[in-house]
Amino acid sequence: MNILDISYSFYQHYWWALIALLGALLVFLLFVQGGQTFIYRLAKTEDERNVLVNALGRKWELTFTTLVTFGGAFFASFPLFYSTSFGGAYWVWIVILFCFVLQAVAFEYRRKPNNFLKTGTYNAFLLINGFGGTFLLGVAVSTLFTGANFSMNKANIANIGGPEGVVISQWQSATHGLEALLNVQNLLLGLTVFFLARILGCLFFINAVNYNEILQRAKKQLLFNAIPFVLVFIAFVFTLLTQEGFAVNPVTKEVFLQKYKYLSNFLEMPIVAAIFLTGVVAVLFGIIYPFLKKAKPSWSFWISG
């Protein structure tokens, strides 16, 4: 196929598919962050905490690498959006990156001899990453649905010789991204990702740790986190399916706000709806599976993942 024959629509679908795949992998790998939130809930002694941290320590780089790749895919596919949102909403992204830097420091130095910060400090770093990193990532991604507060004027490209240079888009809020925390829908997706990460963390420990006491505690925490996850997930999906969204008139090419846009998308694209519902069922089945009599521990983790 000649590259010149590929339509603009093809590239749009290609890049969104790539970003969706990387985003899904990132959420799956957040089981590391979710597992970190349990180092005091599932472990009652320092030896048990070391067992949990050692199990997670073999995987933590995967989440960090996927997060960077996810951002890189945004830059490659939508450079103007990336530069404006990541540069304009920098407070949210700085806090997220700070949470992940703390994680890297914790895994590197937690068990070093003669460590002046002591193990408890690095445990706190892991908790900050587990609680803050997952929640804020969900809030940031939700702005793809709820919108971001920036303006764009491509006509400014004609001012290339002007005193201020070329400013095509700029952020409009003095809080630089923190305003996303004031949107209820953003908070719902943040909590959804947070509880999902904790669920995946429990399932990972059930799969990877051969320690009966930890196994029993993980099953109990799995149930405790599944209930709020289902509630906030349903609330987020409801707000998403009932909100307005941008649509394009195929005849006039006019962009307008359409009621129930995301619900219409599912109805018009039943294959996409079927994939979405299959994923929901798989997650729920993975949560229930560990409580079945003949359940194999590894299955529940991979089914939900």
Side-chain angles (χ1 to χ4, degrees), residues 195 199 221-233 287:
F195 284 115
I199 288 170
Q221 289 298 322
L222 176 62
L223 184 60
F224 288 163
N225 285 272
I227 295 173
F229 163 72
V230 171
L231 293 177
V232 293
F233 175 71
I287 294 172

Side-chain angles (χ1 to χ4, degrees), residues 180-189 236 239:
L181 295 170
L182 301 179
N183 186 296
V184 174
Q185 189 172 347
N186 294 343
L187 298 179
L188 287 174
L189 186 58
F236 172 76
T239 59

Side-chain angles (χ1 to χ4, degrees), residues 57-251:
R58 299 191 296 270
K59 312 292 183 183
W60 75 269
E61 300 100 329
L62 297 175
T63 312
F64 202 108
T65 304
T66 307
L67 174 63
V68 174
T69 308
F70 179 67
F74 259 120
F75 172 72
S77 55
F78 307 105
L80 182 60
F81 169 80
Y82 177 92
S83 61
T84 306
S85 59
F86 280 65
Y90 55 80
W91 280 122
V92 171
W93 291 107
I94 283 177
V95 174
I96 291 173
L97 291 175
F98 178 73
C99 289
F100 278 86
V101 169
L102 288 180
Q103 180 201 34
V105 172
F107 277 115
E108 180 67 25
Y109 294 102
R110 182 178 178 272
R111 299 296 302 279
K112 292 286 187 181
N114 303 320
N115 199 329
F116 74 96
L117 288 179
K118 307 302 181 184
T119 302
T121 301
Y122 295 107
N123 289 343
F125 288 175
L126 294 177
L127 291 175
I128 292 172
N129 175 246
F131 284 96
T134 53
F135 173 72
L136 290 175
L137 271 176
V139 170
V141 171
S142 181
T143 59
L144 295 175
F145 299 103
T146 59
N149 193 14
F150 67 90
S151 63
M152 182 174 66
N153 185 2
K154 290 186 177 181
N156 284 346
I157 199 169
N159 300 325
I160 191 169
E164 298 181 359
V166 180
V167 180
I168 298 176
S169 60
Q170 57 186 335
W171 204 260
Q172 298 295 303
S173 171
T175 52
H176 294 288
L178 294 179
E179 68 275 3
L181 295 170
L182 301 179
N183 186 296
V184 174
Q185 189 172 347
N186 294 343
L187 298 179
L188 287 174
L189 186 58
L191 290 172
T192 298
V193 173
F194 167 69
F195 284 115
L196 179 58
R198 298 195 92 198
I199 288 170
L200 292 171
C202 285
L203 293 175
F204 173 74
F205 288 138
I206 292 172
N207 174 38
V209 177
N210 187 18
Y211 202 112
N212 189 59
E213 289 79 4
I214 292 178
L215 176 64
Q216 297 306 317
R217 296 172 196 150
K219 285 186 175 182
K220 183 182 295 186
Q221 289 298 322
L222 176 62
L223 184 60
F224 288 163
N225 285 272
I227 295 173
F229 163 72
V230 171
L231 293 177
V232 293
F233 175 71
I234 291 175
F236 172 76
V237 172
F238 176 80
T239 59
L240 182 66
L241 297 182
T242 55
Q243 77 175 70
E244 292 182 329
F246 287 105
V248 181
N249 187 312
V251 178

